[in-house]
Amino acid sequence: MWLLVGLGNPGPEYAGNRHNIGFMAVDEIVRRHGFSPWRRKFQGEMSEGRIGPERAIALKPLTYMNESGRSVAEAARFHKIEPGRIVVFHDELDLAPSKMRVKTGGGHAGHNGLRDITRHMGADFVRVRLGIGHPGDKARVHGWVLGDFAKAEQDWLRDLTDAVAVHLPLLLAGRESDYMSKVAGAVRPPKPLKPAKPAKPDAAGAPPAGATGGEE
């Protein structure tokens, strides 16, 4: 059995965030492969199904990104799933938008979801790194990951999540290179984004609504 984990923050206010691309990928896996309806379990939303011959559980932790490990560890313990059969889909600042890479083990590179899973499970799980790009300035990272994908990004985002789901049997069969190649070939190059206009403060000089908050 495999445990397929999408990382993100729960709630409609975060649904379109770049940080939630892991949720989006797992949603598409569940839809594409005809998994069971989502239900609450393991401090998250869980769905069951098959990827080719392999049984799999899809999991979206509802513990917020910073405490994702609690949900993942609970599901893994219950089903006796070893770290090498846990696949975590997550956003990756250090990859260009629309790119995807697979990696097993390693550090968390400052990603709070990966950090917490490592704390609970060790580092030997599989990561599917979904590129969202970097805003270019460390001070803008918080707003970037907790900002919604732009309209111009929707085409490559749809291509990427679809390809990640369609070609997933290759990954579960141990064919990581073939999986990455198939996904790369299915994604249209992203359109260049227009520079974001700086947000205007309100009359009292406070930051605009929604400028802060959320969980990294």
Side-chain angles (χ1 to χ4, degrees):
M1 178 180 284
W2 291 84
L3 179 57
L4 311 174
V5 181
L7 295 187
N9 287 311
E13 66 270 37
Y14 301 117
N17 287 182
R18 293 180 179 90
H19 220 18
N20 274 39
I21 194 172
F23 274 12
M24 298 172 195
V26 170
D27 279 337
E28 184 59 23
I29 289 167
V30 165
R31 188 193 72 80
R32 173 70 63 168
H33 294 280
F35 278 32
S36 66
W38 292 102
R39 61 192 176 98
R40 293 291 184 97
K41 198 170 183 180
F42 306 128
Q43 302 178 65
E45 289 188 329
M46 187 199 79
S47 176
E48 299 174 88
R50 303 190 79 89
I51 307 289
E54 300 281 354
R55 282 187 65 204
I57 292 171
L59 178 68
K60 294 189 295 184
L62 299 180
T63 48
Y64 288 96
M65 185 69 80
N66 297 355
E67 298 187 350
S68 300
R70 290 196 287 117
S71 174
V72 176
E74 186 177 331
R77 282 195 304 268
F78 184 87
H79 288 285
K80 298 180 173 61
I81 300 173
E82 295 297 319
R85 294 180 74 85
I86 299 173
V87 184
V88 177
F89 299 82
H90 67 91
D91 58 304
E92 178 58 71
L93 281 164
D94 293 330
L95 278 180
S98 84
K99 300 298 183 183
M100 185 273 280
R101 296 288 185 274
V102 177
K103 178 182 179 182
T104 300
H108 54 72
H111 192 290
N112 289 335
L114 298 181
R115 177 188 283 116
D116 200 58
I117 294 172
T118 299
R119 185 168 69 86
H120 284 269
M121 299 287 305
D124 295 331
F125 54 92
V126 181
R127 303 106 188 275
V128 175
R129 304 162 61 213
L130 304 171
I132 62 169
H134 196 286
D137 180 353
K138 188 175 180 180
R140 294 176 55 208
V141 165
H142 181 84
W144 179 256
V145 298
L146 292 180
D148 286 356
F149 283 104
K151 185 176 180 180
E153 297 179 283
Q154 296 303 314
D155 286 344
W156 71 253
L157 178 61
R158 192 178 307 111
D159 288 349
L160 180 61
T161 54
D162 184 63
V164 161
V166 168
H167 300 295
L168 185 58
L170 292 172
L171 177 62
L172 303 193
R175 297 168 59 187
E176 291 184 6
S177 295
D178 291 338
Y179 181 51
M180 289 188 283
S181 295
K182 286 287 188 181
V183 171
V187 181
R188 287 168 285 183
K191 299 174 183 177
L193 289 179
K194 295 179 180 178
K197 294 180 180 179
K200 295 180 180 179
D202 63 20
T212 60
E215 299 289 336
E216 289 189 79

